[in-house]
Short mmCIF file of all heavy atoms in Angstrom, two decimals:
data_model
loop_
_atom_site.label_atom_id
_atom_site.label_comp_id
_atom_site.label_asym_id
_atom_site.label_seq_id
_atom_site.Cartn_x
_atom_site.Cartn_y
_atom_site.Cartn_z
N GLU A 258 121.16 111.30 99.36
CA GLU A 258 122.56 111.02 99.65
C GLU A 258 123.39 111.13 98.37
O GLU A 258 123.13 110.42 97.40
CB GLU A 258 122.70 109.62 100.25
CG GLU A 258 124.11 109.22 100.61
CD GLU A 258 124.71 110.18 101.63
OE1 GLU A 258 124.26 110.17 102.79
OE2 GLU A 258 125.63 110.93 101.23
N VAL A 259 124.38 112.00 98.37
CA VAL A 259 125.22 112.19 97.19
C VAL A 259 126.41 111.24 97.17
O VAL A 259 127.02 111.02 96.12
CB VAL A 259 125.73 113.64 97.10
CG1 VAL A 259 124.56 114.60 96.95
CG2 VAL A 259 126.59 114.02 98.31
N SER A 260 126.76 110.64 98.30
CA SER A 260 127.92 109.75 98.38
C SER A 260 127.50 108.31 98.08
O SER A 260 126.70 107.72 98.81
CB SER A 260 128.56 109.83 99.77
OG SER A 260 129.49 108.77 99.95
N ALA A 261 128.05 107.74 97.02
CA ALA A 261 127.73 106.36 96.68
C ALA A 261 128.18 105.40 97.78
O ALA A 261 127.51 104.40 98.07
CB ALA A 261 128.38 105.99 95.35
N ALA A 262 129.33 105.70 98.40
CA ALA A 262 129.85 104.83 99.45
C ALA A 262 128.93 104.82 100.66
O ALA A 262 128.62 103.76 101.23
CB ALA A 262 131.25 105.28 99.85
N LEU A 263 128.48 105.99 101.08
CA LEU A 263 127.57 106.06 102.22
C LEU A 263 126.21 105.46 101.87
O LEU A 263 125.57 104.81 102.70
CB LEU A 263 127.41 107.50 102.68
CG LEU A 263 128.64 108.11 103.39
CD1 LEU A 263 128.40 109.57 103.71
CD2 LEU A 263 128.96 107.32 104.66
N ARG A 264 125.77 105.67 100.63
CA ARG A 264 124.48 105.12 100.23
C ARG A 264 124.50 103.59 100.32
O ARG A 264 123.54 102.97 100.80
CB ARG A 264 124.15 105.57 98.80
CG ARG A 264 122.74 105.23 98.36
CD ARG A 264 122.33 106.08 97.17
NE ARG A 264 123.22 105.94 96.03
CZ ARG A 264 124.02 106.91 95.56
NH1 ARG A 264 124.05 108.09 96.15
NH2 ARG A 264 124.80 106.69 94.52
N ALA A 265 125.60 102.96 99.90
CA ALA A 265 125.71 101.50 99.98
C ALA A 265 125.68 101.04 101.44
O ALA A 265 125.06 100.02 101.77
CB ALA A 265 127.00 101.05 99.31
N ARG A 266 126.33 101.80 102.32
CA ARG A 266 126.34 101.45 103.74
C ARG A 266 124.93 101.56 104.34
O ARG A 266 124.50 100.73 105.13
CB ARG A 266 127.31 102.38 104.47
CG ARG A 266 127.84 101.86 105.78
CD ARG A 266 128.99 102.71 106.25
NE ARG A 266 130.12 102.63 105.36
CZ ARG A 266 131.12 103.50 105.33
NH1 ARG A 266 131.09 104.54 106.14
NH2 ARG A 266 132.13 103.35 104.49
N GLN A 267 124.22 102.61 103.95
CA GLN A 267 122.85 102.80 104.43
C GLN A 267 121.94 101.67 103.94
O GLN A 267 121.11 101.15 104.70
CB GLN A 267 122.32 104.15 103.93
CG GLN A 267 123.05 105.36 104.51
CD GLN A 267 122.90 106.59 103.64
OE1 GLN A 267 122.09 106.61 102.70
NE2 GLN A 267 123.67 107.63 103.93
N GLN A 268 122.09 101.31 102.68
CA GLN A 268 121.23 100.26 102.12
C GLN A 268 121.42 98.94 102.83
O GLN A 268 120.46 98.19 103.06
CB GLN A 268 121.50 100.13 100.62
CG GLN A 268 120.98 101.33 99.83
CD GLN A 268 121.46 101.35 98.39
OE1 GLN A 268 122.45 100.69 98.04
NE2 GLN A 268 120.78 102.12 97.55
N GLN A 269 122.65 98.65 103.20
CA GLN A 269 122.92 97.41 103.95
C GLN A 269 122.26 97.46 105.31
O GLN A 269 121.61 96.50 105.75
CB GLN A 269 124.44 97.23 104.09
CG GLN A 269 124.85 96.04 104.93
CD GLN A 269 124.52 94.71 104.25
OE1 GLN A 269 124.41 94.64 103.03
NE2 GLN A 269 124.37 93.65 105.06
N ARG A 270 122.37 98.57 106.00
CA ARG A 270 121.85 98.70 107.36
C ARG A 270 120.32 98.70 107.39
O ARG A 270 119.71 98.18 108.33
CB ARG A 270 122.38 99.99 107.99
CG ARG A 270 121.98 100.18 109.43
CD ARG A 270 122.75 101.29 110.08
NE ARG A 270 122.85 101.09 111.51
CZ ARG A 270 123.88 101.43 112.25
NH1 ARG A 270 124.94 101.99 111.68
NH2 ARG A 270 123.90 101.21 113.54
N LEU A 271 119.71 99.31 106.39
CA LEU A 271 118.26 99.50 106.40
C LEU A 271 117.51 98.45 105.58
O LEU A 271 116.31 98.59 105.33
CB LEU A 271 117.92 100.91 105.90
CG LEU A 271 118.58 102.05 106.70
CD1 LEU A 271 118.27 103.39 106.07
CD2 LEU A 271 118.12 102.02 108.16
N ARG A 272 118.19 97.41 105.21
CA ARG A 272 117.58 96.35 104.41
C ARG A 272 116.32 95.76 105.05
O ARG A 272 115.36 95.42 104.34
CB ARG A 272 118.61 95.24 104.14
CG ARG A 272 118.11 94.14 103.22
CD ARG A 272 119.23 93.18 102.87
NE ARG A 272 120.28 93.86 102.12
CZ ARG A 272 121.47 93.31 101.84
NH1 ARG A 272 121.74 92.09 102.26
NH2 ARG A 272 122.36 93.97 101.15
N PRO A 273 116.25 95.62 106.39
CA PRO A 273 115.04 95.04 106.98
C PRO A 273 113.75 95.79 106.67
O PRO A 273 112.66 95.21 106.76
CB PRO A 273 115.34 95.08 108.49
CG PRO A 273 116.83 95.02 108.58
CD PRO A 273 117.32 95.82 107.41
N TRP A 274 113.86 97.07 106.30
CA TRP A 274 112.65 97.85 106.03
C TRP A 274 112.28 97.83 104.54
O TRP A 274 111.28 98.43 104.15
CB TRP A 274 112.82 99.27 106.54
CG TRP A 274 112.69 99.31 108.03
CD1 TRP A 274 111.55 99.43 108.77
CD2 TRP A 274 113.75 99.18 108.98
NE1 TRP A 274 111.83 99.39 110.11
CE2 TRP A 274 113.17 99.23 110.28
CE3 TRP A 274 115.14 99.03 108.88
CZ2 TRP A 274 113.94 99.13 111.44
CZ3 TRP A 274 115.89 98.91 110.04
CH2 TRP A 274 115.30 98.98 111.30
N GLY A 275 113.03 97.16 103.74
CA GLY A 275 112.69 96.91 102.34
C GLY A 275 112.25 98.14 101.57
O GLY A 275 112.91 99.17 101.56
N ALA A 276 111.06 98.02 100.94
CA ALA A 276 110.58 99.05 100.03
C ALA A 276 110.09 100.31 100.74
O ALA A 276 109.70 101.27 100.08
CB ALA A 276 109.45 98.49 99.16
N ARG A 277 110.10 100.30 102.07
CA ARG A 277 109.68 101.53 102.79
C ARG A 277 110.78 102.59 102.79
O ARG A 277 110.54 103.73 103.16
CB ARG A 277 109.30 101.18 104.23
CG ARG A 277 107.94 100.51 104.36
CD ARG A 277 107.59 100.25 105.80
NE ARG A 277 107.72 101.46 106.60
CZ ARG A 277 107.89 101.46 107.92
NH1 ARG A 277 108.01 100.30 108.56
NH2 ARG A 277 107.97 102.58 108.59
N VAL A 278 112.00 102.21 102.41
CA VAL A 278 113.11 103.16 102.38
C VAL A 278 113.50 103.41 100.94
O VAL A 278 113.65 102.47 100.15
CB VAL A 278 114.32 102.63 103.18
CG1 VAL A 278 115.40 103.71 103.27
CG2 VAL A 278 113.89 102.20 104.59
N HIS A 279 113.67 104.68 100.60
CA HIS A 279 113.96 105.08 99.23
C HIS A 279 115.19 105.99 99.22
O HIS A 279 115.36 106.83 100.11
CB HIS A 279 112.77 105.84 98.62
CG HIS A 279 111.45 105.17 98.87
ND1 HIS A 279 110.88 104.30 97.98
CD2 HIS A 279 110.59 105.25 99.93
CE1 HIS A 279 109.72 103.86 98.46
NE2 HIS A 279 109.52 104.42 99.65
N TRP A 280 116.02 105.85 98.19
CA TRP A 280 117.20 106.69 98.06
C TRP A 280 117.10 107.60 96.84
O TRP A 280 116.57 107.20 95.80
CB TRP A 280 118.46 105.83 97.96
CG TRP A 280 118.93 105.35 99.29
CD1 TRP A 280 119.85 105.93 100.10
CD2 TRP A 280 118.47 104.18 100.00
NE1 TRP A 280 120.01 105.21 101.27
CE2 TRP A 280 119.16 104.13 101.22
CE3 TRP A 280 117.54 103.19 99.71
CZ2 TRP A 280 118.97 103.12 102.16
CZ3 TRP A 280 117.33 102.18 100.64
CH2 TRP A 280 118.03 102.14 101.85
N HIS A 281 117.64 108.80 96.98
CA HIS A 281 117.64 109.78 95.90
C HIS A 281 119.01 110.45 95.86
O HIS A 281 119.57 110.82 96.90
CB HIS A 281 116.58 110.86 96.14
CG HIS A 281 115.22 110.32 96.50
ND1 HIS A 281 114.21 110.15 95.57
CD2 HIS A 281 114.70 109.89 97.70
CE1 HIS A 281 113.14 109.67 96.18
NE2 HIS A 281 113.41 109.50 97.47
N GLU A 282 119.55 110.62 94.67
CA GLU A 282 120.81 111.35 94.53
C GLU A 282 120.58 112.85 94.54
O GLU A 282 121.49 113.62 94.80
CB GLU A 282 121.52 110.93 93.24
CG GLU A 282 122.01 109.49 93.25
CD GLU A 282 122.78 109.15 92.01
OE1 GLU A 282 123.38 110.06 91.40
OE2 GLU A 282 122.79 107.96 91.62
N ARG A 283 119.37 113.25 94.21
CA ARG A 283 119.01 114.67 94.25
C ARG A 283 117.55 114.77 94.69
O ARG A 283 116.79 113.80 94.58
CB ARG A 283 119.21 115.32 92.89
CG ARG A 283 118.40 114.70 91.78
CD ARG A 283 118.75 115.30 90.42
NE ARG A 283 120.13 115.04 90.07
CZ ARG A 283 120.55 113.92 89.49
NH1 ARG A 283 119.68 112.94 89.21
NH2 ARG A 283 121.80 113.74 89.19
N TRP A 284 117.18 115.92 95.18
CA TRP A 284 115.81 116.03 95.70
C TRP A 284 114.81 116.25 94.57
O TRP A 284 115.15 116.75 93.49
CB TRP A 284 115.70 117.10 96.75
CG TRP A 284 116.32 118.44 96.45
CD1 TRP A 284 116.80 118.91 95.28
CD2 TRP A 284 116.56 119.46 97.42
NE1 TRP A 284 117.30 120.16 95.44
CE2 TRP A 284 117.17 120.53 96.73
CE3 TRP A 284 116.31 119.58 98.77
CZ2 TRP A 284 117.52 121.71 97.38
CZ3 TRP A 284 116.67 120.76 99.41
CH2 TRP A 284 117.27 121.80 98.71
N PRO A 285 113.55 115.87 94.81
CA PRO A 285 112.52 116.02 93.79
C PRO A 285 112.08 117.47 93.65
O PRO A 285 112.40 118.32 94.48
CB PRO A 285 111.38 115.15 94.31
CG PRO A 285 111.55 115.21 95.80
CD PRO A 285 113.03 115.26 96.05
N GLU A 286 111.32 117.74 92.61
CA GLU A 286 110.82 119.10 92.39
C GLU A 286 109.83 119.50 93.49
O GLU A 286 109.75 120.67 93.86
CB GLU A 286 110.14 119.20 91.02
CG GLU A 286 111.11 119.14 89.85
CD GLU A 286 112.12 120.28 89.90
OE1 GLU A 286 111.72 121.44 90.16
OE2 GLU A 286 113.32 120.01 89.69
N ARG A 287 109.08 118.54 94.00
CA ARG A 287 108.12 118.81 95.07
C ARG A 287 108.23 117.70 96.10
O ARG A 287 108.43 116.54 95.75
CB ARG A 287 106.68 118.86 94.52
CG ARG A 287 106.43 120.02 93.56
CD ARG A 287 106.37 121.34 94.31
NE ARG A 287 106.06 122.45 93.42
CZ ARG A 287 106.98 123.18 92.79
NH1 ARG A 287 108.26 122.90 92.96
NH2 ARG A 287 106.63 124.17 92.02
N LEU A 288 108.10 118.04 97.36
CA LEU A 288 108.11 116.98 98.38
C LEU A 288 107.15 117.34 99.52
O LEU A 288 106.88 118.51 99.79
CB LEU A 288 109.52 116.72 98.90
CG LEU A 288 110.32 117.84 99.57
CD1 LEU A 288 110.02 117.90 101.07
CD2 LEU A 288 111.80 117.59 99.37
N ASP A 289 106.63 116.30 100.16
CA ASP A 289 105.76 116.42 101.32
C ASP A 289 106.34 115.53 102.42
O ASP A 289 106.78 114.41 102.15
CB ASP A 289 104.34 115.93 100.99
CG ASP A 289 103.68 116.77 99.92
OD1 ASP A 289 103.17 117.85 100.25
OD2 ASP A 289 103.69 116.33 98.75
#
C-alpha cells in the first residue's frame, strides 16, 4: 500500500489478526 492514509485505515481494521498481517510500501525482490 503506497497511501499512508489507507494503510492506517487497514491497520485499524485488521488489528485482530496481529502479526499475521504485514504492510509494505514497495514489493520485495522475490515473493511467494
Side-chain angles (χ1 to χ4, degrees):
E258 181 59 69
V259 297
S260 168
L263 289 176
R264 189 161 58 247
R266 202 168 295 162
Q267 295 158 10
Q268 289 169 341
Q269 176 69 24
R270 184 168 207 146
L271 302 176
R272 185 173 296 171
W274 285 273
R277 284 183 52 202
V278 186
H279 314 267
W280 279 266
H281 312 263
E282 293 184 28
R283 59 186 63 84
W284 47 12
E286 289 300 316
R287 295 287 183 269
L288 60 87
D289 297 280

